[in-house]
Amino acid sequence: MSSSLLPQQRIVGLADLIERPEPFDSVVGFDEKPPGVEYSNGPSKPHYLGQVEWSWSPMHGSVIAYYIHRARRHWVLWQYRYDDNWESWEWEPVGYVPRLQVSQKLAAFHLMIDYWRFRKTETTLDHYHWINKSGELNIAEWRTIGLLVWPEVATQPTNQDQ
C-alpha cells in the first residue's frame, strides 16, 4: 500500500517509563501459569489491557488481545488470540508474577515487556503493526513497551524519510 493511501495517523507520545520493581520474579512463555493452578476456559474476571495486530501479508497476520488476571497469589498475563485454523478465539496464559511484589499496572506493563522479549528471542516476533485498541494500558504505554522490546524500530526510516 502506498503511504498516500494509509489512513491519517495520530501523533502519540511515549509514556513515562514505569520503573521495573525489584524484585520482579516474572515467568513468561507459552502456556505459563502459576504452579498448581489449572484453567479450563480462560480467566475469570480478567482486566483488558489492549489489542495489537501483526499483518505480514493479506493471508498472514495475527490479532491478539492481552488481559491481566488477579489469581490467588499471582498476576497472570493472558493472550486471547484468533486461531484461523479452528476459526475460534483461544485463551492462553503467557506469564505471571507474584502479586505481593507489584500493583496490577506494574505487573501488566512489565509482564508485557518480558513476554514480548521472550517471543522476540524464541520466535523472532517483530514489532506489531497496529495498536487496535487500548484498555488498562493506554496507547502511549503500548508504544513505550514496543520501543523497549524493539528499540531498532525507533531508528528505522519512515516512508517520508526515503
Side-chain angles (χ1 to χ4, degrees):
M1 175 182 287
S2 166
S3 62
S4 64
L5 298 175
L6 287 172
Q8 179 63 41
Q9 304 295 305
R10 288 185 247 174
I11 296 175
V12 177
L14 296 176
D16 290 334
L17 184 59
I18 301 172
E19 291 293 324
R20 186 178 180 94
E22 286 297 329
F24 189 78
D25 300 321
S26 66
V27 176
V28 294
F30 300 112
D31 198 31
E32 283 293 346
K33 52 191 173 283
V37 174
E38 290 301 321
Y39 296 105
S40 57
N41 294 322
S44 61
K45 300 180 184 175
H47 295 271
Y48 182 72
L49 300 177
Q51 182 186 76
V52 297
E53 183 174 348
W54 289 264
S55 181
W56 299 284
S57 75
M59 297 301 289
H60 190 113
S62 181
V63 176
I64 303 177
Y66 293 95
Y67 292 80
I68 192 91
H69 168 244
R70 180 183 174 160
R72 181 171 290 194
R73 293 189 180 100
H74 296 85
W75 293 111
V76 182
L77 178 66
W78 289 81
Q79 66 180 12
Y80 189 55
R81 64 181 184 82
Y82 186 73
D83 184 342
D84 54 0
N85 294 322
W86 295 98
E87 296 183 358
S88 64
W89 286 84
E90 296 181 348
W91 286 103
E92 181 181 13
V94 294
Y96 61 90
V97 66
R99 269 192 19 229
L100 291 176
Q101 292 180 353
V102 291
S103 67
Q104 176 180 305
K105 182 76 161 197
L106 283 171
F109 189 84
H110 289 287
L111 279 170
M112 281 305 312
I113 292 169
D114 291 354
Y115 178 61
W116 276 353
R117 283 181 175 159
F118 162 80
R119 291 285 313 272
K120 179 182 177 182
T121 302
E122 295 297 316
T123 67
T124 66
L125 181 69
D126 62 339
H127 190 274
Y128 56 80
H129 297 109
W130 292 282
I131 302 168
N132 290 347
K133 190 171 180 187
S134 63
E136 301 262 337
L137 295 176
N138 64 41
I139 299 295
E141 289 164 335
W142 281 109
R143 289 195 63 232
T144 301
I145 291 167
L147 289 173
L148 287 170
V149 176
W150 295 281
E152 63 276 7
V153 171
T155 60
Q156 292 177 350
T158 64
N159 289 336
Q160 297 167 347
D161 297 334
Q162 297 175 354

